[in-house]
Amino acid sequence: MKRVKPREVFIGRLSHGGDLLEEITDICQRKNIQLGWIEALGAVQRARLGFYNQETHKYEFFTVDQPLEITKLVGNVSLEDNSPFVHAHITLADKRGNAYGGHLASGTVVFACEFILEIFDGPMLKRDFDETTGLSLWPMADS
Amino acid sequence: MKRVKPREVFIGRLSHGGDLLEEITDICQRKNIQLGWIEALGAVQRARLGFYNQETHKYEFFTVDQPLEITKLVGNVSLEDNSPFVHAHITLADKRGNAYGGHLASGTVVFACEFILEIFDGPMLKRDFDETTGLSLWPMADS
Amino acid sequence: MKRVKPREVFIGRLSHGGDLLEEITDICQRKNIQLGWIEALGAVQRARLGFYNQETHKYEFFTVDQPLEITKLVGNVSLEDNSPFVHAHITLADKRGNAYGGHLASGTVVFACEFILEIFDGPMLKRDFDETTGLSLWPMADS
């Protein structure tokens, strides 16, 4: 793990009808945020989620095609190929309160979403291919 | 979104038997917290949740009348009608591990609850009626 | 609740194949972290969760023996018997997006996990037996 230094905090909301993952990514790219942590709540018109198959090392994507509350979005921002990259997971609930979740994929449409985005200075965390998991992960070495 | 400035952080727990939403709101009103972010975990004796119907623009409330773990509460504090207003979503789990969630409503009874509350200075976020969603939302303009 | 003072923030990931709760606890004990808050996302190879029975005052543990996404881990670090103690709850999702959750127990195996750990100075929060709930809780008095 790396010791990082808080730089700025932003609180705001996303546009109705926007793509949840793309809106967050867009903010991070416009502001060139290289290291950050994001939390959010709200609602979506529909969700597209990923589940990482730990055997095939491939994401399996699926859609939950109904309005859902976002009971929690958590994600981070770091560098992949020298560009700000957002990795987020989301928990959702339907009208009966049943909860769903997974890796947030493009295709999740915002109804309303309020977020906090903390930005850090410090040693950059660059994602690199990890053979064991097949994922693009941060280095392990302590700082 | 608005750049905000961290002022204070509080960590604590809520009273056994209290109303989860009312306890948090009460803390924010007593301390006149105008901008904040809260995260919590714990357990409830029962939960009352809301699901926002995106067509009728009305909350539909329901009760999960059993003891549940709080696997996550996330919420924010901002101003509505010039008074501190708490907006929180919650994820819960029953004794078999099945998860539930939704908009936290009054009527959710604390068994035990540990929280962190971050308070910010900065441009106030005032909730105002948004015609598109029917919700009381923050302004969109960047600062 | 207690006013605490942010000291350091760490961002990192846990080892593939490690025990999720033990890895976090180990970090906190090696670094002698006495007060902290942790959030994480990722995936596990299997999960072992607890549900606190509010009548018998005993945890009931169970295993979800399949790969799952961590849609959210939230926890805190405080002192129990003068040693750093991690209390965490977790929300998970399976390949169909169904969500599970509970009190994080030993026996949950990391596939990949990215976390943020905020460390605080301030009045120590020491866990002590609470007769009403049967849990080891922080004191209630305000600071």
Side-chain angles (χ1 to χ4, degrees), chain B residues 76-95:
Chain B
N76 54 54
V77 190
S78 59
L79 291 178
E80 191 173 52
D81 301 331
N82 295 311
S83 180
F85 173 83
V86 175
H87 178 216
H89 282 196
I90 193 167
T91 316
L92 303 150
D94 69 13
K95 65 182 174 186

Side-chain angles (χ1 to χ4, degrees), chain C residues 73-103:
Chain C
L73 176 146
V74 56
N76 54 54
V77 190
S78 59
L79 292 178
E80 191 174 53
D81 301 333
N82 295 311
S83 181
F85 173 82
V86 175
H87 178 215
H89 282 197
I90 193 167
T91 315
L92 303 150
D94 68 14
K95 65 183 173 186
R96 282 179 307 273
N98 292 318
Y100 305 86
H103 176 91

Side-chain angles (χ1 to χ4, degrees), chain B residues 100-122:
Chain B
Y100 305 86
H103 177 91
L104 178 65
S106 293
T108 299
V109 182
V110 175
F111 182 78
C113 183
E114 298 169 353
F115 66 90
I116 186 168
L117 171 58
E118 293 180 87
I119 301 167
F120 300 95
D121 286 325

